[in-house]
Amino acid sequence: MTGELLVVGLGPGDPALLTGQARAALASAAVLVGYSGYLDLVRAWRPDADFRPSPIGAERARAHEAVALAAAGQRVALVSSGDAGVYGMAGLALEEWARLSPAERPAFAVLPGVTALLAAGALLGAPLGADFAAISLSDLLTPWSTIERRLDAAAAADFVLALYNPASGARRWQLPAACALIGRHRAPDTPVGVARNVGRPEQAVALLTLAELPTWPVDMLSIAIVGGSTTRRLGDYLLTPRGYHEA
Amino acid sequence: MTGELLVVGLGPGDPALLTGQARAALASAAVLVGYSGYLDLVRAWRPDADFRPSPIGAERARAHEAVALAAAGQRVALVSSGDAGVYGMAGLALEEWARLSPAERPAFAVLPGVTALLAAGALLGAPLGADFAAISLSDLLTPWSTIERRLDAAAAADFVLALYNPASGARRWQLPAACALIGRHRAPDTPVGVARNVGRPEQAVALLTLAELPTWPVDMLSIAIVGGSTTRRLGDYLLTPRGYHEA
């Protein structure tokens, strides 16, 4: 008997932002593996499932557990927030799966989800209308010098920037440092949108400027979208026109 | 009586990749406005709706029509493929909406969807595990010099690259030119994934190298994901590990 491992992106948290495919996977999995905070979002409508919650920081062990359960013949959903491939569990799950011999491997699939930049972008109107770059400000796994190089390059080349993990309780200097780098290439009044807890009852969106961003209250549940040279405010929205010829 | 304009991302085309929110919007709209090819994806399950198809290239007129119908009191869904905010209809819709006086404006919302890079990324395993940049190779609305600058900057700073609109019937030299630029910073054997018609019955995925990409058959229904310095093949998948410390 061969099991199956489905790596499922939950989207931002609101069940209405789940894809039908992801919802069906969560509804049919026998075992649900994930960070306890994300599993709690599913518990209400899958009270019968076998829940295997784990704490933040236990990502490698979580991926290993999910692969082992699937290899033992279970239908397993490994739950990630947003899209599992974007700063989520897809990579670790794939690594752990590939450690098994081909004969031992369960079926494997990643199911896409609405990542934070899309959910925040939609609430903000159309900030992502031109080329954009996603950059995580978390230097837990990536050296800050690499993050700096990417911020500088992307700001210089006029990408709209989606800043994931802008701050946490312990990481406070990274966002001001990132804003200083971006500010070498963008005006202080560059429009910025910050979204927090998108898709949840406490959802909040703010429109500000690059000058205001360093001291804006953000955390791990926030994402900041920094506009490019053509981004402008339109009422309560942000617009980055698709092209210059027409603008 | 005030109408409502919902700008809806269809995802890649498979109804299973629609969010519940988008599906509900398409199910409840009285009028569906969009490119005829996308509206055809909805026609089967909304035979009763008022369909207003328009041809490719009529984007501005389409946005104008959708806003006008909503301003006249209708509940309108303006349909875009993927995510409406990523190279889609959200920006033009917002512009046309903002042309009205505040008193004339219908309710307005953008509903996010699964954009091509996420759908392709999921099929390819985990190519987007680190910072990434989305770049459209279409120079119809953006000067090629701007696209070149972005390709060069993003390749140099080791972003994973998602190349939208890599080619069309008339645009053939752009992909080889882009690959030459990227090749200044990436090895010829850099892993590349190309996905075509994701989420549709004719879906196809190919794993290749940067050296093979310039002559690979691609079109407007394809997206190419070019790996970064740490991206590697794992069986039939691509993996970009989240961080360097652990790799």
Side-chain angles (χ1 to χ4, degrees):
Chain A
M1 176 189 170
T2 314
E4 185 171 17
L5 175 59
L6 301 170
V7 189
V8 181
L10 270 193
D14 180 350
L17 290 175
L18 270 178
T19 68
Q21 186 187 65
R23 195 170 180 104
L26 294 171
S28 68
V31 188
L32 296 175
V33 180
Y35 163 55
S36 50
Y38 300 148
L39 289 190
D40 287 345
L41 297 170
V42 183
R43 218 176 274 267
W45 50 283
R46 276 306 310 278
D48 56 312
D50 178 3
F51 280 82
R52 306 285 181 113
S54 49
I56 285 252
E59 285 77 22
R60 169 78 63 185
R62 185 186 305 145
H64 182 80
E65 180 185 20
V67 169
L69 287 163
Q74 300 263 35
R75 186 172 164 86
V76 179
L78 174 58
V79 170
S80 201
S81 75
D83 179 272
V86 177
Y87 311 119
M89 290 298 300
L92 284 174
L94 181 58
E95 278 184 64
E96 291 296 320
W97 176 85
R99 279 184 211 275
L100 300 179
S101 69
E104 295 171 313
R105 289 177 187 160
F108 177 86
V110 179
L111 309 188
V114 172
T115 184
L117 75 84
L118 299 183
L123 285 175
L124 292 163
L128 303 170
D131 301 329
F132 61 89
I135 304 177
S136 168
L137 297 191
S138 170
D139 56 351
L140 296 176
L141 295 175
T142 303
W144 182 252
S145 59
T146 300
I147 299 170
E148 266 188 328
R149 186 161 62 104
R150 290 184 182 150
L151 286 165
D152 192 59
D158 203 21
F159 284 94
V160 174
L161 306 175
L163 305 180
Y164 280 76
N165 308 312
S168 70
R171 290 186 307 99
R172 304 310 306 175
W173 58 263
Q174 287 83 350
L175 180 63
C179 291
L181 263 171
I182 298 166
R184 290 192 205 159
H185 309 284
R186 308 254 163 111
D189 64 351
T190 298
V192 170
V194 172
R196 187 168 184 280
N197 264 319
V198 174
R200 305 192 193 179
E202 348 40 302
Q203 167 179 305
V205 173
L207 293 183
L208 47 148
T209 66
L210 181 56
E212 292 169 309
L213 182 56
T215 55
W216 204 262
V218 297
D219 61 15
M220 288 295 280
L221 302 173
S222 309
I223 183 167
I225 297 184
V226 179
S229 64
T230 62
T231 305
R232 62 182 196 269
R233 259 183 91 148
L234 269 185
D236 291 333
Y237 294 108
L238 294 181
L239 169 72
T240 306
R242 171 74 186 276
Y244 296 129
H245 295 331
E246 230 188 334
Chain B
M1 176 192 171
T2 312
E4 185 171 18
L5 176 58
L6 301 171
V7 190
V8 181
L10 269 192
D14 180 350
L17 291 175
L18 271 177
T19 67
Q21 185 186 66
R23 195 171 180 102
L26 295 172
S28 68
V31 188
L32 296 175
V33 180
Y35 162 56
S36 50
Y38 300 148
L39 289 189
D40 288 345
L41 297 170
V42 183
R43 218 176 275 268
W45 50 283
R46 275 307 309 279
D48 56 311
D50 178 3
F51 281 83
R52 305 284 180 112
S54 50
I56 286 251
E59 284 77 22
R60 170 78 62 186
R62 185 185 306 144
H64 182 81
E65 181 184 18
V67 169
L69 287 162
Q74 301 264 33
R75 185 172 164 86
V76 179
L78 173 59
V79 169
S80 200
S81 75
D83 179 274
V86 178
Y87 311 119
M89 291 298 299
L92 284 174
L94 181 58
E95 279 184 64
E96 292 296 320
W97 175 85
R99 280 184 211 275
L100 300 179
S101 70
E104 295 170 313
R105 289 177 188 162
F108 177 87
V110 179
L111 309 188
V114 172
T115 184
L117 75 85
L118 298 183
L123 285 175
L124 292 163
L128 303 170
D131 300 329
F132 62 89
I135 304 177
S136 169
L137 298 191
S138 171
D139 55 352
L140 297 177
L141 295 177
T142 304
W144 182 252
S145 59
T146 301
I147 299 170
E148 265 189 328
R149 185 161 62 106
R150 290 184 184 151
L151 286 165
D152 191 59
D158 203 21
F159 284 94
V160 174
L161 306 175
L163 305 180
Y164 280 75
N165 308 311
S168 70
R171 289 186 308 99
R172 305 310 306 176
W173 58 263
Q174 286 83 351
L175 180 63
C179 291
L181 263 171
I182 298 166
R184 290 190 205 162
H185 308 285
R186 306 256 162 112
D189 64 349
T190 298
V192 170
V194 172
R196 186 169 184 280
N197 263 320
V198 174
R200 305 193 192 177
E202 16 355 335
Q203 168 179 304
V205 172
L207 293 184
L208 49 147
T209 66
L210 181 57
E212 293 170 308
L213 182 56
T215 56
W216 204 262
V218 297
D219 60 15
M220 288 297 279
L221 301 172
S222 309
I223 183 167
I225 297 184
V226 179
S229 64
T230 62
T231 305
R232 61 182 198 268
R233 259 182 91 148
L234 270 184
D236 293 333
Y237 294 109
L238 294 181
L239 168 72
T240 306
R242 172 74 186 275
Y244 296 128
H245 294 332
E246 231 188 332

